[in-house]
Amino acid sequence: MPILVVYGDETPRKSRTEMDALAELPNVQVKRLAKGKLAIHEECPNAVAAAVQSFLS
């Protein structure tokens, strides 16, 4: 089953390391946004929605 990981460029190092590890798994796609930290869906809702919409298309 495909998985989408969305995170921002300002994500703290430890969390980014964990997300990068997820990206190495099969069927995982990553969308890294130009800004945003841990609550990316609250900080950049339009960009996250666009990433999800593209992923689901």
Side-chain angles (χ1 to χ4, degrees):
M1 178 168 288
I3 298 169
L4 175 65
V5 175
V6 181
Y7 67 98
D9 197 40
E10 301 165 336
T11 300
R13 186 179 331 144
K14 182 178 179 192
S15 297
R16 186 181 305 185
T17 300
E18 293 169 351
M19 291 177 200
D20 288 339
L22 281 174
E24 298 298 320
L25 297 173
N27 299 320
V28 175
Q29 295 179 32
V30 174
K31 176 64 177 176
R32 185 171 169 181
L33 303 178
K35 61 180 182 177
K37 296 180 183 176
L38 291 176
I40 193 76
H41 61 288
E42 294 176 353
E43 297 172 57
C44 308
N46 292 336
V48 171
V52 171
Q53 185 175 20
S54 176
F55 175 76
L56 294 175
S57 295

